[in-house]
């Protein structure tokens, strides 16, 4: 697949979800960081369900200093790996308050140094918060790009590295959310909705499974 084909496909997907943003609910930058940490191996819907009482008390990083770890765990106990995530949020909030005046740094390496913040979380936060040209590769983006045939990778980490090679900053700045939503609602894990997909004729998965419809 050449660059024109790749860019054309992404532009079609982007047009489907133009203007759509992250589906996690938050009001402050620190709440966004917490929500993205919580969303690892947990649906956005479940995160949004449990965070309102927590976010009513925790708006800024300094607020977390006043909340004992046990109380944080009680608020977050209905997300996967809540004990680890509670500790990450407590420790990250403490570091932000004490070393960064509560401001999330707009630096990929800096933000990855915080507990519980890997490459995907860091890129999602920086993309949303600072409109930086990062694509936080989750299972949806990894699946979608491999199905279409834009990449042939085995892990999200490999897909992340390929994206940096295959796309320029301009398109990376706008492709993250559309790809996530495309994977969440159209190119779903089981029984993708190929029959109504606008890129079906350009998709390797469609050609392999519905080849007789391509003629």
């Amino acid at each position: 697949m050449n660059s024109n084909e790749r860019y054309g496909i992404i532009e079609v997907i982007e047009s489907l979800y133009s203007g759509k943003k992250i589906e996690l609910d938050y009001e402050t930058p620190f709440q966004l960081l917490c929500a993205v940490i919580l969303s690892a191996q947990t649906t956005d819907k479940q995160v949004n369900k449990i965070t309102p009482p927590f976010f009513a008390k925790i708006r800024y990083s300094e607020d977390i200093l006043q909340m004992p770890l046990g109380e944080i765990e009680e608020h977050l106990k209905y997300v996967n790996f809540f004990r680890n995530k509670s500790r990450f949020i407590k420790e990250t909030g403490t570091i932000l308050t004490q070393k960064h005046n509560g401001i999330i740094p707009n630096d990929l390496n800096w933000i990855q140094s915080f507990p519980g913040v890997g490459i995907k979380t860091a890129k999602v936060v920086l993309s949303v918060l600072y409109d930086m040209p990062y694509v936080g590769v989750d299972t949806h983006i990894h699946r979608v790009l491999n199905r279409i045939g834009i990449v042939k990778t085995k892990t999200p980490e490999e897909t992340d590295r390929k994206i940096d090679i295959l796309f320029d900053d301009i398109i990376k700045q706008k492709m993250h959310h559309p790809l996530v939503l495309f994977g969440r609602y159209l190119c779903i894990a089981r029984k993708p909705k190929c029959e109504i997909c606008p890129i079906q004729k350009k998709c390797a998965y469609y050609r392999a499974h519905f080849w007789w419809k391509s003629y």
Side-chain angles (χ1 to χ4, degrees), residues 11-146:
E11 287 175 358
V12 171
I13 293 174
E14 197 272 335
S15 70
L16 295 175
Y17 304 99
S18 181
K20 300 290 185 180
K21 294 297 182 181
I22 193 168
E23 293 189 315
L24 291 168
D25 295 334
Y26 69 96
E27 292 182 350
T28 68
F30 184 64
Q31 289 179 348
L32 169 66
L33 178 58
C34 291
V36 179
I37 290 173
L38 291 171
S39 70
Q41 296 182 282
T42 300
T43 65
D44 288 2
K45 182 178 179 180
Q46 179 63 15
V47 173
N48 290 338
K49 184 178 179 180
I50 64 98
T51 50
F54 181 60
F55 285 167
K57 297 180 179 180
I58 304 297
R59 290 183 58 80
Y60 307 103
S61 63
E62 56 264 33
D63 297 330
I64 206 74
L65 275 64
Q66 309 306 318
M67 184 176 285
L69 181 59
E71 186 178 348
I72 298 172
E73 291 177 348
E74 186 64 23
H75 277 290
L76 307 181
K77 63 184 179 181
Y78 294 112
V79 297
N80 294 329
F81 309 106
F82 74 95
R83 294 190 190 280
N84 284 339
K85 292 175 181 178
S86 297
R87 178 171 53 82
F88 293 152
I89 288 171
K90 176 76 169 177
E91 293 176 355
T92 292
T94 301
I95 293 170
L96 274 174
T97 302
Q98 295 178 348
K99 297 185 177 181
H100 299 278
N101 296 316
I103 299 172
I104 297 172
N106 60 344
D107 181 276
L108 188 61
N109 291 324
W110 260 114
I111 194 171
Q112 281 188 89
S113 70
F114 299 147
V117 180
I119 185 69
K120 188 206 81 170
T121 297
K123 287 189 172 183
V124 171
V125 171
L126 293 179
S127 171
V128 174
L129 198 56
Y130 297 113
D131 201 27
M132 298 180 77
Y134 292 130
V135 179
V137 179
D138 63 359
T139 55
H140 296 301
I141 294 177
H142 175 61
R143 178 180 68 253
V144 165
L145 294 184
N146 274 278

